[in-house]
Amino acid sequence: MLKKKIEDAFNEQLNAELYSSYLYLAMAAYFEAQNFKGMANWMRVQTAEEYAHMMKFFNYIMERGGRVALKQVDEPQFEWDSPAAAFRSAHEHECKVTGLINGLMDLALSEKDHAASAFLQWFVTEQVEEEATVLDITELLERAGDQAGVLFMLDRELGQRPAASGADAGA
Ligand code: FEO
């Protein structure tokens, strides 16, 4: 059985993961509007990954006998100044999520909930990968600046990102 404190914190994180999915969906729409189809594809895949993260919390809360409580999801940003600015804000967002996951891990440890901390370990590792990937893309885009040819090539490359597999998608 989940302690109430952990149940509440996990429900908050479920909401944060759903917001992440929503934010990247807003970025996908922005890139579509800018005709950067490859970057839009990358964000569509990211949206699905974040939805899968949300479902991991959804399933785990129930598996431990807790109660899922869905809250309102904040409205994401609508517009960005450039592709680089959008990815820069995605990176800032991931750093924020890392802080939230670390806070949950601190809580699980202080409450001596070893099962919850084992569950959270997957997210600790995932955040390292997510931060690094988004930062790499951000830096490439910032270096590209307004060079249309380079942006075109990067867009094509980001369009190659495959859809998440069943396991990654939390299926
Ligand atoms: Fe679910 Fe990108 O953190």
Side-chain angles (χ1 to χ4, degrees):
M1 191 76 182
L2 271 185
K3 284 186 187 166
K4 178 87 178 107
K5 232 191 219 181
I6 295 193
E7 181 187 87
D8 289 346
F10 274 30
N11 271 311
E12 287 291 323
Q13 189 62 31
L14 183 156
N15 183 271
E17 299 291 347
L18 193 52
Y19 173 74
S20 299
S21 182
Y22 214 30
L23 174 65
Y24 296 136
L25 192 59
M27 289 184 182
Y30 160 75
F31 284 124
E32 289 281 353
Q34 298 288 318
N35 214 15
F36 285 118
K37 302 277 187 208
M39 295 182 208
N41 169 70
W42 196 95
M43 285 297 171
R44 282 171 186 261
V45 176
Q46 193 61 25
T47 292
E49 274 205 7
E50 297 299 349
Y51 189 86
H53 293 174
M54 183 275 288
M55 287 306 294
K56 277 183 189 287
F57 279 96
F58 183 93
N59 291 330
Y60 189 77
I61 291 167
M62 294 198 299
E63 200 182 326
R64 293 284 306 277
R67 180 72 165 91
V68 168
L70 299 178
K71 312 262 168 63
Q72 188 169 334
V73 184
D74 291 340
E75 184 178 320
Q77 195 171 326
F78 177 73
E79 202 70 75
W80 286 268
D81 290 338
S82 64
F87 271 92
R88 175 60 68 188
S89 73
H91 180 252
E92 283 163 7
H93 179 69
E94 286 306 326
C95 292
K96 218 179 291 171
V97 173
T98 298
L100 295 175
I101 296 290
N102 289 341
L104 288 180
M105 184 61 106
D106 289 344
L107 177 67
L109 292 173
S110 71
E111 294 293 320
K112 300 190 182 346
D113 188 334
H114 300 292
S117 72
F119 166 77
L120 289 166
Q121 189 57 52
W122 183 89
F123 285 91
V124 171
T125 309
E126 173 75 1
Q127 283 309 120
V128 173
E129 187 202 307
E130 293 222 324
E131 274 190 38
T133 306
V134 177
L135 185 60
D136 272 357
I137 299 170
T138 304
E139 288 177 350
L140 286 171
L141 286 169
E142 286 177 350
R143 221 175 300 153
D146 288 334
Q147 300 176 72
V150 184
L151 285 175
F152 176 76
M153 270 172 44
L154 286 173
D155 188 58
R156 243 190 7 194
E157 202 178 311
L158 293 171
Q160 306 299 313
R161 185 182 186 187
S165 69
D168 290 345

